[in-house]
Amino acid sequence: MNVLAPMPSADTPPAGDPWYLLQAYEAERALWPALPRLAHQAQFVEGLAALRDHYDAFLFDAFGVLNVGQRAIAGAAQALATLRRAGVPFRIVSNAASIPKPALVARYRAMGFDLTETDWITSRDVTAEALHACPGHWRWAVVAPPGADWHDLPLAQARRCDGPLRDGDDAVLFLAAQGWDEAAQARLEGSLRAQPRPVWVANPDLISPWEGGWVREPGGWCAGLEARTGAGVHRVGKPFGAIFEHALASLPVALPRTRVLMLGDTLHTDVLGALAAGLHAALVTGAGASTGLDVARASDLTGIVPHWVLPALGATSVPAASAARHA
Ligand SMILES: [Mg+2]
């Protein structure tokens, strides 16, 4: 696991400090979609049941809402099962890009989530769509760990990139950051400075909280890459609109956007992205990126105001934050 020394500063934050994550995202604010004019205030509720009658469909983030690491968050699977039984449409909208969907679904089934491939809309899906629009003759350098599987992506010619680019590489796909390090990044950036080429980032997340530190995600490695190298960088996934449009289009009926609620644990991806897409947004604070966050202060700092704040999807006897700390 590539648990990082922190970014962007050299200070070591306490593991799980939500302000560190918030400030890392805010420092890159120019990357993110513009916030629409907001006229609401956040309301606090206990769980998904309190929101059920306000919306006709729900979109859920995965990491930090359904699970932390390899452990399901208490009550999450039951909350989704309750929606399913009631016939309420929902999708999981995730920046999980590193593995094909069958493997992703299997991982969540092992944690107790009765979800199928059609329930998931991932940044890998949206990346595949975007790659279809690229010239078919391009040769791709794919940043991914050894053995990574990208057979489901429309890459006619691709090789794994471990740092430096070759003369024949036409473009870079930054698919997964496992195993990537500063030395590999320096070699990649040196190649891009010498010959700028398009870079596609399949997960715009900057960093993710893990026990004992932070993991830098593809979006974190590529923050500021345009300015450093002259390469054109294309980010695909939350908070950018295509993944939300894909999710809405996948619902069984067309709905007014204000009747669709996105629930996630990250203010700058889930909440900002949903608001920019015209959806309603809820911040889930009991586990994941916003555990312990002073939401009112965070909204004052960023201007990003969720419609709702809740600790977890399910009302549980064990607080989700406590469960996460022991995960
Ligand atoms: Mg999340």
Side-chain angles (χ1 to χ4, degrees):
M1 179 60 61
N2 180 22
V3 176
L4 276 190
M7 61 172 288
S9 79
D11 301 321
T12 301
D17 177 358
W19 278 101
Y20 177 72
L21 184 86
L22 188 90
Q23 289 168 337
Y25 274 98
E26 193 65 10
E28 302 295 338
R29 190 63 184 263
L31 293 177
W32 313 124
L35 195 63
R37 186 184 301 274
L38 304 177
H40 61 266
Q41 292 187 322
Q43 299 183 60
F44 292 78
V45 293
E46 283 301 312
L48 185 63
L51 302 174
R52 166 65 189 88
D53 293 337
H54 291 268
Y55 298 98
D56 296 318
F58 295 87
L59 308 179
F60 299 98
D61 178 32
F63 200 102
V65 173
L66 305 185
N67 65 294
V68 173
Q70 298 299 313
R71 181 168 298 195
I73 294 171
Q78 293 84 348
L80 296 187
T82 299
L83 280 188
R84 181 91 79 199
R85 280 195 299 274
V88 178
F90 67 85
R91 294 288 181 269
I92 313 303
V93 181
S94 170
N95 280 353
S98 60
I99 56 176
K101 194 170 286 182
L104 181 67
V105 170
R107 184 176 292 178
Y108 277 81
R109 291 191 76 85
M111 288 189 277
F113 291 95
D114 185 17
L115 296 168
T116 65
E117 290 187 32
T118 54
D119 295 320
W120 286 86
I121 306 296
T122 69
S123 61
R124 191 174 176 111
D125 296 333
V126 187
T127 298
E129 285 187 351
L131 295 177
H132 275 297
C134 292
H137 61 80
W138 274 6
R139 283 176 286 189
W140 291 86
V142 180
V143 176
D149 179 357
W150 59 72
H151 78 276
D152 56 319
L153 298 177
L155 304 172
Q157 299 182 79
R159 68 171 185 90
R160 193 177 81 82
C161 173
D162 60 1
L165 296 177
R166 300 172 186 168
D167 288 344
D169 294 331
D170 295 302
V172 177
L173 173 60
F174 209 128
L175 192 60
Q178 289 95 328
W180 197 246
D181 60 20
E182 297 283 358
Q185 182 72 15
R187 290 193 291 272
L188 174 64
E189 294 195 9
S191 298
L192 289 170
R193 273 193 298 276
Q195 183 189 339
R197 281 156 273 198
V199 177
W200 292 79
V201 179
N203 176 359
D205 289 0
L206 296 182
I207 49 180
S208 295
W210 281 80
E211 290 169 81
W214 301 87
V215 178
R216 191 177 305 181
E217 298 287 2
W221 287 105
C222 295
L225 190 65
E226 299 97 322
R228 292 195 299 278
T229 66
V233 181
H234 309 271
R235 296 172 178 83
V236 185
K238 296 178 294 183
F240 300 102
I243 194 168
F244 295 103
E245 300 306 322
H246 194 115
L248 291 172
S250 79
L251 294 173
V253 291
L255 295 169
R257 289 174 186 242
T258 54
R259 295 292 297 175
V260 180
L261 180 67
M262 170 76 207
L263 302 96
D265 69 318
T266 304
L267 208 57
H268 285 81
T269 55
D270 304 305
V271 175
L272 173 58
L275 295 174
L279 308 173
H280 278 207
L283 185 68
V284 181
T285 58
S290 297
T291 304
L293 185 70
D294 179 338
V295 178
R297 188 172 156 227
S299 288
D300 283 346
L301 174 74
T302 64
I304 305 169
V305 183
H307 292 81
W308 308 95
V309 179
L310 64 164
L313 300 186
T316 63
S317 57
V318 179
S322 170
R325 275 195 294 272
H326 293 97

